[in-house]
């Protein structure tokens, strides 16, 4: 099963290696990983999507908690959370396909952020499904390059993942 | 008034003073020259080893014998990598060690500079935590944290890597009073509700057994364990790491469980209806085939490390906390209850009588006899062991009475550990007799330390159970590979008496039963570092034995 983890860590060099090492050693594949600073400058937040055996997953959660630089580990539930990814997609176009691509962009409420003679760069944010759907459609026109950020996620409502006292 | 500034290396020494460090095991080199210059007139004893691996093992042995944090020191590159086996050994057995390494100057890091090794990267999976100091001002905080992390919670090794330029940078030194670690808050007390539930499970049980290990020794919970076991009249099985946690000659003791455990410990586990596991981790050498382990028992697991709970076996009642704390409050809850373990103890008594731990008592010099004689002459000795058959015989035939008297590499099974660890133990406990029960193979992995014990006058006794074989591997070859002794014979390769003498130590030999007692007494009397070459039966096996992967009641009795 897939799990989305929000991990609060010390904003220091080397922390990412420590966290990633725990997953790789137990043959866990990290499907995506996004890191950035939080509302507190000394704290970073990692959002990691992993899949693997349930029992092993529990072990990894406990091992993560043991890392000195890890302050808090929470699982973000699939429902009741806002999940977002950002992708930049470079699509090959010519005069006959340009309009159609632009139409898709409008339908998905994506943005065109660069226009070339033979290509467009499209920026899209959304959950994984939305981005996959867009990618599927654009494949017909020829995707020349794509980059995705990896998922970030936040609980809906008042619930927060925060450093305790 | 502005404080006077001191160089980083001096700040390291001041930090060590603040932590009460009395001794360091180390070896110098280019990137620790400023540190060694400060050590030259520091009030800290430095023991110059002959190989950095031995420095790490000695710091580990010192820590296990005293309960204090052991400290070792090495230069960058090869010095640091030589520490790795010792650090990994300490990690597997939860031993508090702080390892200090020099590093190439910060400006050169990452350039494949001369004697550069990414030691924080290398030791990442075998340390509890590690540091690369990038600013000399961080030295006091890092040392404060390192000793705290190493010594608290589930202890473990912490490495501090210090670039050479950081050692000469000037700082204003102030040692912090407290640590502020947001991500590290070890939990000492167990959940009171869980403890209550445990108490009622225990009072409801007919066939309880305590399964205890290194956690008892680390948290110094032996007294609590003894009261609890006696109050409940419940048997106690002690793992290799827990030797000494419960007196092995106590009527309630059933000895060691698992692969080379007593038959009656394994029978008791298999027939028990409640296992009270304290400071143990259900290692595969203990559980055997996990699906067949203790099929009739509920399991209470008490451990300070939440990650150990539910890792290998399903647990019915977990309690996260320090063993001493939890056992204390458990004792309060069971004190006045009536136990009904009478039948159970009778049954175990019969097993004990029918399947004792023994060996063939003929005229030949068998290794078990040597261990028995060591026990007879030095009943209060600290025993450090190497790895292999010698280690198992030491665990089986020496009578351990008190904690911190059995020092052995359990988790990693590191050959070459025992001698330097024994040396560290002797440094920490100079008034105790320290005996290293060694194998001829293992001893040769760090025998160079004879030079260290002679130079520093550390009178340990190395008792080599010399079978001319890598005995434990040979035993497996005999049993599972058709006696094809591939590369396990080492007979007559070295004269250990001459080797000892070459280093200026005392060398003794016994090849007959009648000589054993005398050489042990002579070694003790000499007060010198001593090697005794016990020329023992070559193909003696460690028995009983549960083959790897079998259930622990499927036991082989070996000749
Ligand atoms: C560093 C290391 N290498 C290899 C092994 C595998 N091993 C385990 S026991 C053993 C034989 C040990 O021989 P010896 O020290 O003579 O002890 P004996 O079993 O004969 O008592 C070996 C090679 C090990 N445990 N550690
Ligand atoms: Mg041998």
């Amino acid at each position: 099963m897939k799990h989305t983890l929000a991990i609060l860590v010390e904003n220091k060099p080397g922390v990412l290696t420590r966290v990633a090492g725990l997953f790789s050693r137990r043959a866990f594949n990290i499907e995506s990983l996004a890191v950035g600073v939080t509302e507190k400058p000394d704290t970073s937040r990692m959002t990691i999507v992993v899949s693997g055996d349930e029992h092993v997953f529990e072990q990894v959660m406990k091992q993560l908690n043991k890392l000195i630089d890890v302050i808090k580990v929470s699982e973000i539930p699939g429902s009741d959370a806002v999940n977002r990814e950002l992708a930049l997609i470079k699509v090959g176009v010519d005069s006959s396909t340009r309009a159609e691509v632009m139409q898709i962009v409008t339908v998905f409420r994506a943005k065109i952020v660069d226009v070339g003679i033979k290509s467009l760069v499209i920026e899209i944010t959304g959950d994984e499904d939305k981005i996959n759907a867009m990618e599927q459609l654009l494949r017909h026109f020829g995707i020349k390059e794509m980059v995705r950020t990896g998922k970030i996620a936040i609980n809906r409502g008042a619930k927060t993942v925060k450093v305790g006292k | 008034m502005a404080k006077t500034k001191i160089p980083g290396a001096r700040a390291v020494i001041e930090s060590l003073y603040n932590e009460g460090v009395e001794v360091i095991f180390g070896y110098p080199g280019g990137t620790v020259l400023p540190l060694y210059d400060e050590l030259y007139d520091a009030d800290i004893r430095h023991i110059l080893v002959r190989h950095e691996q031995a420095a790490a093992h000695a710091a580990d042995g010192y820590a296990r014998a005293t309960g204090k944090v052991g400290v070792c020191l090495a230069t960058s590159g090869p010095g640091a990598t030589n520490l790795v086996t010792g650090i990994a050994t300490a990690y597997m057995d939860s031993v508090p060690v702080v390892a200090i390494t020099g590093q190439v100057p910060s400006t050169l890091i990452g350039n494949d500079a001369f004697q550069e090794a990414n030691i924080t990267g290398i030791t990442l999976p075998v340390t509890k935590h590690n540091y690369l100091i990038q600013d000399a001002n961080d030295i006091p905080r890092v040392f404060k944290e390192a000793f705290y992390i190493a010594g608290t919670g589930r202890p473990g090794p912490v490495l501090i890597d210090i670039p050479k330029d950081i050692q000469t940078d000037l700082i204003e030194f102030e040692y912090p009073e407290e640590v502020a670690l947001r991500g590290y808050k070890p939990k000492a007390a167990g959940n009171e509700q869980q403890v209550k539930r445990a108490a009622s499970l225990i009072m409801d049980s007919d066939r309880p057994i305590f399964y205890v290990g290194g956690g008892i020794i680390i948290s110094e919970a032996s007294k609590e364990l003894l009261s609890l076991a006696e109050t409940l009249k419940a048997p106690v099985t002690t793992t290799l790491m827990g030797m000494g946690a419960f007196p092995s000659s106590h009527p309630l003791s059933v000895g060691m469980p698992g692969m080379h455990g007593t038959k009656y410990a394994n029978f008791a586990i298999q027939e028990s209806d409640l296992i009270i596991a304290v400071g143990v981790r259900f290692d595969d050498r203990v559980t055997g085939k996990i699906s067949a382990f203790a099929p009739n028992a509920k399991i209470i697991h008490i451990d300070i490390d939440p990650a150990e709970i539910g890792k290998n076996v399903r647990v019915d009642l977990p309690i996260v906390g320090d063993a001493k704390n939890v056992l204390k409050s458990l004792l309060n809850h069971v004190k006045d209850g009536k136990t009904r373990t009478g039948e159970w103890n009778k049954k175990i008594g019969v097993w004990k009588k029918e399947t004792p731990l023994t060996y063939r008592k003929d005229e030949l010099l068998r290794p078990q006899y040597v261990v028995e004689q060591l026990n007879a002459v030095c009943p209060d000795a600290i025993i450090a062991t190497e790895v292999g058959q010698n280690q198992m015989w030491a665990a089986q035939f020496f009578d351990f009475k008190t904690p911190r008297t059995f020092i052995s590499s359990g988790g990693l099974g590191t050959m070459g550990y025992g001698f330097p660890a024994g040396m560290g133990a002797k440094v920490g406990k100079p008034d105790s007799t320290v005996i290293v029960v060694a194998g001829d193979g293992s001893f040769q992995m760090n025998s160079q330390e004879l030079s260290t014990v002679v130079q520093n006058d550390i009178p340990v006794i190395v008792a080599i159970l010399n079978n001319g074989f890598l005995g434990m591997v040979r035993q497996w070859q005999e049993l599972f590979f058709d006696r094809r002794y591939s590369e396990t014979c080492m007979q007559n390769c070295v004269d250990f008496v001459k080797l000892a003498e070459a280093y200026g130590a005392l060398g003794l030999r016994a090849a007959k039963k009648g000589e054993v007692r005398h050489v042990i007494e002579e070694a003790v009397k000499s007060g010198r570092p001593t090697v005794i070459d016990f020329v023992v039966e070559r193909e003696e096996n460690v028995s009983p034995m549960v083959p790897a992967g079998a259930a622990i009641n499927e036991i082989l009795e070996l000749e």
Side-chain angles (χ1 to χ4, degrees):
Chain A
M1 210 183 104
K2 265 193 203 182
H3 298 274
T4 303
L5 296 177
I7 309 173
L8 296 179
V9 299
E10 298 288 349
N11 185 5
K12 278 190 205 161
V15 180
L16 181 59
T17 322
R18 292 177 198 274
V19 170
L22 285 183
F23 288 99
S24 59
R25 172 142 187 251
R26 290 171 177 80
F28 254 68
N29 190 26
I30 295 183
E31 297 194 358
S32 83
L33 186 154
V35 199
V37 73
T38 63
E39 70 278 6
K40 289 187 176 166
D42 60 357
T43 310
S44 296
R45 175 160 169 161
M46 299 182 182
T47 310
I48 301 187
V49 181
V50 290
S51 59
D53 173 81
E54 279 309 298
H55 178 72
V56 181
F57 174 71
E58 224 187 284
Q59 239 323 282
V60 175
M61 290 279 279
K62 288 175 171 173
Q63 294 293 341
L64 278 173
N65 268 307
K66 280 175 72 172
L67 293 177
I68 309 289
D69 288 335
V70 168
I71 304 161
K72 185 164 187 166
V73 186
S74 324
E75 187 170 1
I76 304 278
S79 56
D80 236 20
V82 181
N83 299 295
R84 286 292 180 273
E85 252 182 79
L86 184 148
L88 296 172
I89 308 171
K90 189 176 286 179
V91 188
V93 289
D94 56 31
S95 50
S96 66
T97 55
R98 186 180 299 263
E100 207 178 334
V101 169
M102 288 171 74
Q103 216 171 13
I104 294 171
V105 169
T106 315
V107 172
F108 275 86
R109 280 190 263 158
K111 268 194 271 183
I112 293 169
V113 290
D114 181 69
V115 182
I117 297 171
K118 291 184 173 159
S119 68
L120 296 173
V121 175
I122 298 162
E123 174 192 315
I124 176 170
T125 60
D127 61 20
E128 198 186 354
D129 289 348
K130 177 176 166 186
I131 293 174
N132 288 347
M134 173 119 178
E135 184 196 338
Q136 281 298 319
L137 280 174
L138 292 176
R139 280 205 182 282
H140 298 293
F141 303 93
I143 293 177
K144 294 183 157 179
E145 196 178 347
M146 179 168 83
V147 50
R148 289 170 77 151
T149 54
K151 175 161 111 175
I152 57 170
I154 199 163
N155 289 307
R156 288 187 191 276
K159 198 172 164 202
T160 56
V161 177
K162 261 173 96 166
V163 181
K165 55 167 172 50
Chain B
M1 199 180 74
K3 286 184 101 177
T4 43
K5 293 194 165 191
I6 59 170
R10 178 80 214 156
V12 169
I13 303 295
E14 292 295 331
S15 301
L16 295 174
Y17 286 157
N18 272 280
E19 293 299 333
V21 172
E22 288 160 354
V23 59
I24 296 178
F25 302 89
Y27 205 89
T31 60
V32 283
L33 275 165
L35 268 170
Y36 271 88
D37 190 59
E38 290 291 345
L39 268 174
Y40 193 62
D41 26 45
D43 197 12
I44 294 176
R45 183 174 181 200
H46 179 277
I47 307 246
L48 176 64
V49 295
R50 298 301 183 267
H51 187 304
E52 290 89 349
Q53 182 187 351
H57 290 327
D60 168 318
Y62 173 90
R64 293 193 209 213
T66 62
K68 299 182 203 162
V69 177
V71 181
C72 58
L73 170 59
T75 192
S76 65
T81 55
N82 272 349
L83 291 178
V84 173
T85 301
I87 292 172
T89 302
Y91 183 72
M92 285 292 270
D93 290 344
S94 310
V95 182
V97 168
V98 168
I100 305 166
T101 49
Q103 182 53 278
V104 300
S106 1
T107 48
L108 296 181
I109 291 180
N111 287 1
D112 300 327
F114 176 64
Q115 293 196 326
E116 177 180 3
N118 175 2
I119 197 64
T120 47
I122 290 170
T123 58
L124 199 78
V126 292
T127 48
K128 188 168 169 188
H129 195 53
N130 64 24
Y131 295 89
L132 168 61
I133 299 190
Q134 282 160 318
D135 178 345
N137 288 297
D138 291 340
I139 289 172
R141 176 183 58 80
V142 166
F143 273 78
K144 178 81 188 174
E145 288 178 6
F147 277 82
Y148 178 70
I149 291 169
T152 56
R154 177 178 184 171
V158 176
L159 178 132
I160 307 173
D161 199 21
I162 317 177
K164 191 174 185 181
D165 54 324
I166 303 283
Q167 297 170 34
T168 49
D169 284 352
L170 295 176
I171 65 161
E172 278 178 21
F173 182 83
E174 189 168 347
Y175 207 64
E177 303 253 306
E178 272 168 31
V179 292
L181 289 164
R182 298 188 291 173
Y184 181 67
K185 303 208 160 59
K187 185 167 172 287
N191 178 301
E192 202 44 38
Q193 281 313 313
Q194 292 290 87
V195 174
K196 261 192 209 157
R197 270 182 218 125
S200 69
L201 272 184
I202 292 171
M203 298 316 293
D204 276 348
S205 132
D206 294 309
R207 300 185 306 281
I209 181 168
F210 282 96
Y211 153 42
V212 303
I216 297 280
I217 292 171
I218 293 166
S219 83
E220 316 209 303
S222 296
K223 233 181 58 198
E224 287 75 11
L225 173 66
L226 185 67
S227 324
L228 206 49
E230 287 180 345
T231 307
L232 299 168
K233 301 187 186 62
V236 180
T237 178
T238 314
T239 67
L240 187 75
M241 298 311 300
M243 284 290 137
F246 192 78
S248 43
S249 56
H250 192 287
L252 288 169
S253 170
V254 293
M256 189 166 74
M259 182 174 279
H260 292 299
T262 62
K263 282 189 164 181
Y264 40 93
N266 288 333
F267 291 160
I269 288 174
Q270 292 305 74
E271 294 220 359
S272 141
D273 66 356
L274 180 68
I275 291 181
I276 311 153
V278 195
V280 289
R281 55 190 181 87
F282 295 87
D283 183 78
D284 54 272
R285 284 291 184 265
V286 167
T287 61
K289 185 175 171 186
I290 202 100
S291 57
F293 177 74
N296 309 308
K298 290 203 164 127
I299 297 178
I300 299 172
H301 192 181
I302 302 166
D303 205 284
I304 194 143
D305 181 0
E308 282 307 336
I309 289 170
K311 186 177 83 176
N312 295 339
V313 297
R314 38 134 206 110
V315 168
D316 299 279
L317 197 130
I319 302 178
V320 176
D322 177 71
K324 190 185 185 80
N325 267 306
V326 175
L327 293 190
K328 239 189 212 160
S329 51
L330 197 52
L331 197 56
N332 286 333
H333 289 293
V334 299
K335 237 183 346 222
D336 314 311
K338 264 215 150 0
T339 59
R340 33 178 212 250
T341 53
E343 281 301 309
W344 179 226
N345 281 315
K346 233 180 265 164
K347 191 165 193 179
I348 291 172
V350 173
W351 285 331
K352 272 189 173 180
K353 207 166 279 160
E354 286 175 352
T355 60
L357 205 52
T358 187
Y359 62 97
R360 189 127 104 210
K361 297 190 177 157
D362 51 14
E363 74 291 351
L364 299 173
L365 177 52
R366 297 187 188 270
Q368 300 94 325
Y369 176 79
V370 174
V371 177
E372 282 179 346
Q373 289 303 306
L374 290 169
N375 188 48
V377 179
C378 310
D380 298 316
I382 293 175
I383 301 293
T385 81
E386 291 291 352
V387 166
Q389 295 182 314
N390 59 87
Q391 178 182 33
M392 292 301 120
W393 286 319
Q396 289 179 331
F397 292 96
F398 200 91
D399 178 15
F400 294 98
K401 296 164 204 71
T402 52
R404 304 199 181 283
T405 55
F406 181 74
I407 294 176
S408 191
S409 168
L412 202 64
T414 308
M415 288 172 69
Y417 168 81
F419 178 35
M423 168 171 97
K426 182 71 185 174
V427 169
K429 290 273 179 185
D431 298 331
S432 298
T433 301
V434 175
I435 301 173
V436 181
V437 174
D440 47 316
S442 299
F443 179 61
Q444 291 184 70
M445 284 209 178
N446 270 320
S447 58
Q448 79 286 342
E449 296 308 313
L450 280 170
S451 180
T452 310
V453 292
V454 169
Q455 186 190 10
N456 293 280
D457 189 21
I458 306 167
V460 296
I461 299 168
V462 182
I464 304 176
L465 307 180
N466 186 357
N467 50 15
F469 274 116
L470 298 173
M472 186 56 94
V473 182
R474 185 210 56 75
Q475 175 169 341
W476 285 54
Q477 290 172 334
E478 175 186 333
L479 296 172
F480 311 117
F481 291 88
D482 232 2
R483 295 184 67 107
R484 288 157 54 86
Y485 293 164
S486 177
E487 303 299 323
T488 43
C489 181
M490 285 188 170
Q491 198 181 17
N492 297 333
C493 293
V494 57
D495 181 330
F496 288 111
V497 174
K498 282 195 183 145
L499 182 74
E501 286 167 352
Y503 281 108
L506 178 62
L508 301 169
R509 177 172 290 123
K512 295 197 189 92
K513 256 180 139 173
E515 298 163 354
V516 171
R517 185 99 180 193
H518 176 73
V519 290
I520 297 171
E521 284 165 353
E522 199 178 332
V524 173
K525 210 165 58 205
S526 78
R528 292 171 55 195
T530 305
V531 176
I532 315 178
D533 183 20
F534 291 104
V535 185
V536 297
E537 266 306 288
R538 298 202 61 209
E539 297 193 41
E540 188 73 16
N541 284 325
V542 179
S543 179
M545 178 176 189
V546 178
I552 54 171
N553 51 355
E554 297 167 18
I555 305 172
L556 305 179
E557 194 68 65
L558 306 173
E559 263 293 297

